[in-house]
mmCIF file of all heavy atoms in Angstrom:
data_model
loop_
_atom_site.group_PDB
_atom_site.id
_atom_site.type_symbol
_atom_site.label_atom_id
_atom_site.label_comp_id
_atom_site.label_asym_id
_atom_site.label_seq_id
_atom_site.Cartn_x
_atom_site.Cartn_y
_atom_site.Cartn_z
ATOM 1 N N ILE X 1 7.227 -22.220 21.410
ATOM 2 C CA ILE X 1 8.302 -22.747 20.503
ATOM 3 C C ILE X 1 9.582 -22.837 21.342
ATOM 4 O O ILE X 1 10.076 -21.819 21.642
ATOM 5 C CB ILE X 1 8.469 -22.055 19.303
ATOM 6 C CG1 ILE X 1 7.236 -22.071 18.484
ATOM 7 C CG2 ILE X 1 9.629 -22.537 18.411
ATOM 8 C CD1 ILE X 1 7.126 -21.085 17.234
ATOM 9 N N ASP X 2 10.065 -24.005 21.536
ATOM 10 C CA ASP X 2 11.359 -24.187 22.329
ATOM 11 C C ASP X 2 12.390 -24.264 21.284
ATOM 12 O O ASP X 2 12.740 -25.363 20.633
ATOM 13 C CB ASP X 2 11.264 -25.425 23.166
ATOM 14 C CG ASP X 2 12.478 -25.626 24.055
ATOM 15 O OD1 ASP X 2 13.180 -24.472 24.288
ATOM 16 O OD2 ASP X 2 12.786 -26.768 24.456
ATOM 17 N N LEU X 3 13.135 -23.175 21.062
ATOM 18 C CA LEU X 3 14.178 -23.074 19.984
ATOM 19 C C LEU X 3 15.405 -23.938 20.474
ATOM 20 O O LEU X 3 15.835 -23.784 21.695
ATOM 21 C CB LEU X 3 14.681 -21.697 19.723
ATOM 22 C CG LEU X 3 13.778 -20.902 18.988
ATOM 23 C CD1 LEU X 3 14.275 -19.325 18.953
ATOM 24 C CD2 LEU X 3 13.316 -21.292 17.662
ATOM 25 N N PRO X 4 16.043 -24.665 19.596
ATOM 26 C CA PRO X 4 17.302 -25.285 19.996
ATOM 27 C C PRO X 4 18.297 -24.175 20.211
ATOM 28 O O PRO X 4 18.248 -23.122 19.570
ATOM 29 C CB PRO X 4 17.596 -26.235 18.792
ATOM 30 C CG PRO X 4 16.731 -25.835 17.749
ATOM 31 C CD PRO X 4 15.671 -25.099 18.275
ATOM 32 N N PRO X 5 19.374 -24.281 20.994
ATOM 33 C CA PRO X 5 20.332 -23.246 21.309
ATOM 34 C C PRO X 5 21.045 -22.763 20.023
ATOM 35 O O PRO X 5 21.114 -21.522 19.864
ATOM 36 C CB PRO X 5 21.285 -23.930 22.140
ATOM 37 C CG PRO X 5 20.528 -25.089 22.963
ATOM 38 C CD PRO X 5 19.568 -25.632 21.845
ATOM 39 N N TRP X 6 21.202 -23.569 19.095
ATOM 40 C CA TRP X 6 21.949 -23.168 17.845
ATOM 41 C C TRP X 6 21.117 -22.192 17.046
ATOM 42 O O TRP X 6 21.481 -21.209 16.519
ATOM 43 C CB TRP X 6 22.320 -24.305 16.947
ATOM 44 C CG TRP X 6 21.132 -24.994 16.268
ATOM 45 C CD1 TRP X 6 20.530 -26.215 16.725
ATOM 46 C CD2 TRP X 6 20.503 -24.683 15.093
ATOM 47 N NE1 TRP X 6 19.621 -26.536 15.849
ATOM 48 C CE2 TRP X 6 19.461 -25.574 14.763
ATOM 49 C CE3 TRP X 6 20.722 -23.624 14.120
ATOM 50 C CZ2 TRP X 6 18.686 -25.518 13.732
ATOM 51 C CZ3 TRP X 6 19.809 -23.555 12.972
ATOM 52 C CH2 TRP X 6 18.866 -24.550 12.814
ATOM 53 N N GLU X 7 19.725 -22.360 17.095
ATOM 54 C CA GLU X 7 18.751 -21.547 16.351
ATOM 55 C C GLU X 7 18.623 -20.180 17.049
ATOM 56 O O GLU X 7 18.581 -19.165 16.453
ATOM 57 C CB GLU X 7 17.395 -22.140 16.178
ATOM 58 C CG GLU X 7 16.600 -21.464 15.251
ATOM 59 C CD GLU X 7 15.335 -22.357 14.862
ATOM 60 O OE1 GLU X 7 15.116 -23.556 15.074
ATOM 61 O OE2 GLU X 7 14.431 -21.694 14.270
ATOM 62 N N ALA X 8 18.568 -20.238 18.340
ATOM 63 C CA ALA X 8 18.503 -18.922 19.163
ATOM 64 C C ALA X 8 19.751 -18.117 18.855
ATOM 65 O O ALA X 8 19.743 -16.943 18.620
ATOM 66 C CB ALA X 8 18.359 -19.232 20.678
ATOM 67 N N ARG X 9 21.005 -18.879 18.931
ATOM 68 C CA ARG X 9 22.148 -18.118 18.565
ATOM 69 C C ARG X 9 22.221 -17.548 17.128
ATOM 70 O O ARG X 9 22.654 -16.341 16.973
ATOM 71 C CB ARG X 9 23.334 -18.906 18.902
ATOM 72 C CG ARG X 9 23.695 -19.183 20.286
ATOM 73 C CD ARG X 9 25.127 -19.813 20.524
ATOM 74 N NE ARG X 9 25.216 -21.031 19.828
ATOM 75 C CZ ARG X 9 24.834 -22.412 20.333
ATOM 76 N NH1 ARG X 9 24.327 -22.282 21.613
ATOM 77 N NH2 ARG X 9 25.002 -23.262 19.696
ATOM 78 N N LEU X 10 21.633 -18.242 16.244
ATOM 79 C CA LEU X 10 21.594 -17.756 14.924
ATOM 80 C C LEU X 10 20.804 -16.618 14.701
ATOM 81 O O LEU X 10 21.045 -15.599 14.149
ATOM 82 C CB LEU X 10 21.094 -18.999 13.936
ATOM 83 C CG LEU X 10 20.909 -18.609 12.485
ATOM 84 C CD1 LEU X 10 22.197 -18.135 11.885
ATOM 85 C CD2 LEU X 10 20.325 -19.758 11.717
ATOM 86 N N LEU X 11 19.558 -16.591 15.406
ATOM 87 C CA LEU X 11 18.706 -15.479 15.245
ATOM 88 C C LEU X 11 19.288 -14.236 15.857
ATOM 89 O O LEU X 11 19.191 -13.213 15.194
ATOM 90 C CB LEU X 11 17.298 -15.837 16.072
ATOM 91 C CG LEU X 11 16.441 -16.846 15.443
ATOM 92 C CD1 LEU X 11 15.333 -17.270 16.365
ATOM 93 C CD2 LEU X 11 15.854 -16.276 14.061
ATOM 94 N N ARG X 12 19.923 -14.372 16.959
ATOM 95 C CA ARG X 12 20.732 -13.219 17.544
ATOM 96 C C ARG X 12 21.790 -12.707 16.639
ATOM 97 O O ARG X 12 21.829 -11.588 16.401
ATOM 98 C CB ARG X 12 21.211 -13.669 18.944
ATOM 99 C CG ARG X 12 22.245 -12.719 19.585
ATOM 100 C CD ARG X 12 21.670 -11.681 20.350
ATOM 101 N NE ARG X 12 22.787 -10.910 21.002
ATOM 102 C CZ ARG X 12 22.737 -9.569 21.169
ATOM 103 N NH1 ARG X 12 21.737 -8.905 20.777
ATOM 104 N NH2 ARG X 12 23.769 -9.055 21.670
ATOM 105 N N SER X 13 22.511 -13.617 16.027
ATOM 106 C CA SER X 13 23.518 -13.192 15.056
ATOM 107 C C SER X 13 23.042 -12.550 13.897
ATOM 108 O O SER X 13 23.546 -11.599 13.368
ATOM 109 C CB SER X 13 24.387 -14.419 14.634
ATOM 110 O OG SER X 13 25.057 -15.064 15.747
ATOM 111 N N LEU X 14 21.945 -13.044 13.336
ATOM 112 C CA LEU X 14 21.269 -12.353 12.270
ATOM 113 C C LEU X 14 20.692 -10.953 12.554
ATOM 114 O O LEU X 14 20.954 -10.050 11.733
ATOM 115 C CB LEU X 14 20.092 -13.182 11.725
ATOM 116 C CG LEU X 14 20.416 -14.523 10.944
ATOM 117 C CD1 LEU X 14 19.217 -15.374 10.718
ATOM 118 C CD2 LEU X 14 21.215 -14.297 9.712
ATOM 119 N N SER X 15 20.341 -10.814 13.817
ATOM 120 C CA SER X 15 19.876 -9.551 14.235
ATOM 121 C C SER X 15 21.103 -8.506 14.315
ATOM 122 O O SER X 15 20.971 -7.425 13.926
ATOM 123 C CB SER X 15 19.074 -9.554 15.529
ATOM 124 O OG SER X 15 18.845 -8.297 15.969
ATOM 125 N N VAL X 16 22.217 -9.052 14.867
ATOM 126 C CA VAL X 16 23.442 -8.214 14.987
ATOM 127 C C VAL X 16 23.875 -7.901 13.609
ATOM 128 O O VAL X 16 24.236 -6.574 13.303
ATOM 129 C CB VAL X 16 24.543 -9.033 15.711
ATOM 130 C CG1 VAL X 16 25.886 -8.400 15.579
ATOM 131 C CG2 VAL X 16 24.175 -9.192 17.183
ATOM 132 N N ALA X 17 23.881 -8.712 12.622
ATOM 133 C CA ALA X 17 24.237 -8.505 11.341
ATOM 134 C C ALA X 17 23.360 -7.508 10.546
ATOM 135 O O ALA X 17 23.695 -6.570 9.813
ATOM 136 C CB ALA X 17 24.239 -9.813 10.424
ATOM 137 N N TYR X 18 22.009 -7.597 10.834
ATOM 138 C CA TYR X 18 21.091 -6.651 10.204
ATOM 139 C C TYR X 18 21.330 -5.259 10.762
ATOM 140 O O TYR X 18 21.317 -4.354 9.951
ATOM 141 C CB TYR X 18 19.588 -7.113 10.738
ATOM 142 C CG TYR X 18 18.555 -6.137 10.185
ATOM 143 C CD1 TYR X 18 17.987 -6.365 9.000
ATOM 144 C CD2 TYR X 18 18.123 -4.967 10.806
ATOM 145 C CE1 TYR X 18 16.980 -5.663 8.397
ATOM 146 C CE2 TYR X 18 17.161 -4.203 10.317
ATOM 147 C CZ TYR X 18 16.558 -4.478 9.106
ATOM 148 O OH TYR X 18 15.625 -3.616 8.589
ATOM 149 N N VAL X 19 21.594 -5.059 12.012
ATOM 150 C CA VAL X 19 21.934 -3.710 12.633
ATOM 151 C C VAL X 19 23.191 -3.279 11.954
ATOM 152 O O VAL X 19 23.217 -2.012 11.547
ATOM 153 C CB VAL X 19 21.994 -3.770 14.100
ATOM 154 C CG1 VAL X 19 22.548 -2.427 14.604
ATOM 155 C CG2 VAL X 19 20.676 -4.063 14.761
ATOM 156 N N ALA X 20 24.322 -4.073 11.845
ATOM 157 C CA ALA X 20 25.490 -3.621 11.313
ATOM 158 C C ALA X 20 25.323 -3.230 9.829
ATOM 159 O O ALA X 20 25.872 -2.185 9.350
ATOM 160 C CB ALA X 20 26.515 -4.722 11.396
ATOM 161 N N GLU X 21 24.608 -4.000 9.086
ATOM 162 C CA GLU X 21 24.438 -3.729 7.698
ATOM 163 C C GLU X 21 23.629 -2.445 7.432
ATOM 164 O O GLU X 21 23.859 -1.598 6.548
ATOM 165 C CB GLU X 21 23.710 -4.904 6.869
ATOM 166 C CG GLU X 21 23.476 -4.600 5.405
ATOM 167 C CD GLU X 21 24.727 -4.357 4.561
ATOM 168 O OE1 GLU X 21 25.838 -4.939 4.963
ATOM 169 O OE2 GLU X 21 24.544 -3.841 3.537
ATOM 170 N N GLY X 22 22.570 -2.291 8.344
ATOM 171 C CA GLY X 22 21.716 -1.164 8.213
ATOM 172 C C GLY X 22 22.455 0.204 8.438
ATOM 173 O O GLY X 22 22.322 1.167 7.707
ATOM 174 N N ARG X 23 23.542 0.123 9.379
ATOM 175 C CA ARG X 23 24.306 1.303 9.526
ATOM 176 C C ARG X 23 25.300 1.555 8.358
ATOM 177 O O ARG X 23 25.565 2.654 7.962
ATOM 178 C CB ARG X 23 25.166 1.171 10.801
ATOM 179 C CG ARG X 23 24.210 1.231 12.118
ATOM 180 C CD ARG X 23 24.949 1.346 13.362
ATOM 181 N NE ARG X 23 23.894 1.374 14.444
ATOM 182 C CZ ARG X 23 23.919 0.575 15.491
ATOM 183 N NH1 ARG X 23 24.809 -0.283 15.738
ATOM 184 N NH2 ARG X 23 22.999 0.776 16.370
ATOM 185 N N SER X 24 25.878 0.511 7.889
ATOM 186 C CA SER X 24 26.791 0.550 6.672
ATOM 187 C C SER X 24 25.971 1.107 5.465
ATOM 188 O O SER X 24 26.511 1.955 4.630
ATOM 189 C CB SER X 24 27.407 -0.688 6.312
ATOM 190 O OG SER X 24 28.237 -1.235 7.346
ATOM 191 N N ALA X 25 24.709 0.637 5.359
ATOM 192 C CA ALA X 25 23.994 0.909 4.203
ATOM 193 C C ALA X 25 23.462 2.334 4.084
ATOM 194 O O ALA X 25 22.873 2.764 3.139
ATOM 195 C CB ALA X 25 22.775 -0.088 4.065
#
């Protein structure tokens, strides 16, 4: 699967947000 750059950046951003929320939670 060749992700478009915007989707790869979105996946990375979602992972960053997941880690941050996990620590806050």
Side-chain angles (χ1 to χ4, degrees):
I1 297 172
D2 188 21
L3 293 176
W6 70 267
E7 194 170 343
R9 285 191 302 272
L10 177 60
L11 290 170
R12 167 87 173 143
S13 295
L14 288 171
S15 180
V16 168
Y18 181 90
V19 170
E21 179 62 26
R23 290 188 181 132
S24 297

